[in-house]
């Protein structure tokens, strides 16, 4: 492993100042992804800035009924929190669908959003990867790509984003709070991750030195029927082939009043299905209507040689999730 310096930050300002002094630095929280990539030689930070002692490890109920989740809240604590389970069920389900109990005890909320792709070409230094080394090529495009993107990819990268939590947060209209050299700003989770375009090395819209300080879940989607479901190759400790998070509210006539729908495993970021949402708004979520709206959303897919199965899988999974939510008795 390449030698590196270590800084233990005591405040958010101290952490961002340490990053500004060393652009080759990385923030360290749970380290469940970063340390693995350091062992592989994919990440070679000059400095690790430990943020575990920052006061970012609590979950607060906001005055309007929303929740503010600190960036270093551990996955286990977030999944088990009674307000999360009661108001944002998809978030709890997504966390419990990912990793193992041991990893959830260590991994943090902010770190979960900053996970890097599990594409084997990205993790193997002997293979070409534009995300790891811009301009080197994409080995997956003509290689093994069964697990790769069918939506929003580019000629330079077909990787998918691995987070389960990010998909559920996107469906719930959550925001990411950032603190950086230029102050504080807020970005919707659905816009936090980038599509690859000409710069697949950029996973998110986060600016150099910015630190995730919290994720906020709005009151507006709290308490609505929500669920997260994940199709994978084995029952546990596997990344999604396709996942679906949905948040649904019906009016008194049984028509869709609000719908948040997001896919995982299909793109370089959680895919917020705006076209399907718009197609179902104001209509009854019957199997026929749901199928039509989801098919319209997935019509933009551009599968490769070995991953066209994801389109049908996503169609069926979303249909089952939405019709199931619609049939759930309301409180």
């Amino acid at each position: 492993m390449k030698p590196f310096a270590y800084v233990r930050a005591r405040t958010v300002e101290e952490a961002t100042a340490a990053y500004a002094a060393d652009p080759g630095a990385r923030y360290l929280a749970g380290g469940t992804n970063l340390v693995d990539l350091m062992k592989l030689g994919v990440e070679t930070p000059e400095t690790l800035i430990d943020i575990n002692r920052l006061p970012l490890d609590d979950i607060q109920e906001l005055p309007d009924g929303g929740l503010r989740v600190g960036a270093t809240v551990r996955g286990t604590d977030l999944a088990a929190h009674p307000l999360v389970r009661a108001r944002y069920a998809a978030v709890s389900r997504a966390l419990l669908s990912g990793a193992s109990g041991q990893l959830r005890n260590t991994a943090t909320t902010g770190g979960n959003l900053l996970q890097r792709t599990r594409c084997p070409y990205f993790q193997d230094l002997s293979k070409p990867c534009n995300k790891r080394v811009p301009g080197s090529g994409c080995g997956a495009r003509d290689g093994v790509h069964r697990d790769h993107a069918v939506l929003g990819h580019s000629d330079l990268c077909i990787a998918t984003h691995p987070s389960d939590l990010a998909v559920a947060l996107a469906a719930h209209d959550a925001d990411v709070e950032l603190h950086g050299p230029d102050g504080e700003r807020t970005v919707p989770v659905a816009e936090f991750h980038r599509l690859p375009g000409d710069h697949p090395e950029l996973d998110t819209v986060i600016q150099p030195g910015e630190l995730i300080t919290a994720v906020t879940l709005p009151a507006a989607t709290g308490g609505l029927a929500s669920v997260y479901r994940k199709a994978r190759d084995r029952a546990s400790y596997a990344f999604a082939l396709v996942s679906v998070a949905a948040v649904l509210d019906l009016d008194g006539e049984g028509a869709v009043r609000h719908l948040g729908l997001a896919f995982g495993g299909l793109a370089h970021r959680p895919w917020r299905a705006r076209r399907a949402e718009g197609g179902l708004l104001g209509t009854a979520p019957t199997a026929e209507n749901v199928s039509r709206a989801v098919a319209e959303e997935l019509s933009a897919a551009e599968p490769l040689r070995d991953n066209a199965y994801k389109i049908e899988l996503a169609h069926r999974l979303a249909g089952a999730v939405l019709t199931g939510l619609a049939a759930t008795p309301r409180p």
Side-chain angles (χ1 to χ4, degrees):
M1 184 181 288
K2 183 176 181 286
F4 56 86
Y6 174 80
V7 175
R8 178 176 288 166
R10 293 167 295 182
T11 65
V12 170
E13 292 74 18
E14 188 175 297
T16 55
Y19 196 111
D22 182 0
R26 293 289 186 274
Y27 294 121
L28 174 69
T32 55
N33 185 212
L34 175 61
V35 173
D36 283 347
L37 293 177
M38 290 173 65
K39 291 177 181 178
L40 293 170
V42 175
E43 290 278 5
T44 56
E46 299 289 338
T47 303
L48 288 183
I49 303 169
D50 190 333
I51 62 170
N52 282 291
R53 295 196 177 186
L54 302 187
L56 304 174
D57 60 350
D58 61 345
I59 300 173
Q60 303 171 343
E61 184 175 13
L62 300 175
D64 66 356
L67 292 182
R68 186 176 188 272
V69 181
T72 59
V73 170
R74 308 295 159 165
T76 295
D77 296 330
L78 182 58
H81 195 281
L83 292 180
V84 175
R85 294 177 63 190
R87 301 179 188 174
Y88 306 95
V91 171
S92 182
R93 290 282 296 273
L95 285 161
L96 295 174
S97 296
S100 64
Q102 294 93 327
L103 286 173
R104 289 195 297 271
N105 288 342
T106 302
T108 63
T109 300
N112 195 306
L113 297 181
L114 293 174
Q115 289 182 81
R116 307 211 68 189
T117 183
R118 264 45 177 206
C119 174
Y121 295 90
F122 171 73
Q123 296 181 325
D124 187 343
L125 298 184
S126 71
K127 300 294 191 295
C129 173
N130 288 316
K131 179 176 285 294
R132 191 184 67 249
V133 182
S136 63
C138 176
R141 179 166 285 277
D142 294 319
V144 179
H145 55 242
R146 172 181 176 267
D147 298 344
H148 287 65
V150 297
L151 287 167
H153 55 79
S154 73
D155 290 341
L156 299 184
C157 183
I158 58 172
T160 58
H161 191 265
S163 174
D164 296 293
L165 174 61
V167 180
L169 291 175
H172 270 291
D173 295 316
D175 291 323
V176 182
E177 294 182 9
L178 300 168
H179 182 96
D182 297 326
E184 299 178 351
R185 66 183 180 120
T186 299
V187 179
V189 169
E191 299 173 14
F192 180 69
H193 299 92
R194 296 180 67 259
L195 294 179
D198 294 333
H199 291 283
E201 73 277 11
L202 303 177
D203 294 340
T204 71
V205 300
I206 200 167
Q207 297 296 314
E210 283 189 321
L211 174 68
I212 296 176
T213 53
V215 170
T216 54
L217 286 155
T221 60
L224 300 183
S226 71
V227 71
Y228 179 82
R229 284 187 60 184
K230 177 178 178 178
R232 47 189 165 179
D233 282 326
R234 57 181 184 269
S236 65
Y237 200 46
F239 295 102
L241 300 172
V242 176
S243 64
V244 176
V247 181
L248 180 66
D249 185 33
L250 304 179
D251 64 21
E253 303 299 321
V256 174
R257 178 161 50 197
H258 172 85
L259 174 61
L261 179 65
F263 289 101
L266 298 186
H268 201 256
R269 67 183 183 192
W271 188 270
R272 184 67 185 262
R274 303 288 187 184
R275 186 181 299 181
E277 292 173 2
L280 284 168
L281 197 64
T283 71
T286 62
E288 180 180 0
N289 287 342
V290 167
S291 179
R292 184 186 306 112
V294 173
E296 180 66 18
E297 181 72 43
L298 297 174
S299 66
E302 297 180 2
L304 301 171
R305 182 190 64 239
D306 297 328
N307 66 359
Y309 76 93
K310 284 195 171 191
I311 301 172
E312 180 65 18
L313 180 56
H315 191 177
R316 290 178 178 272
L317 189 61
V321 164
L322 290 175
T323 55
L325 268 185
T328 302
R330 296 299 188 268

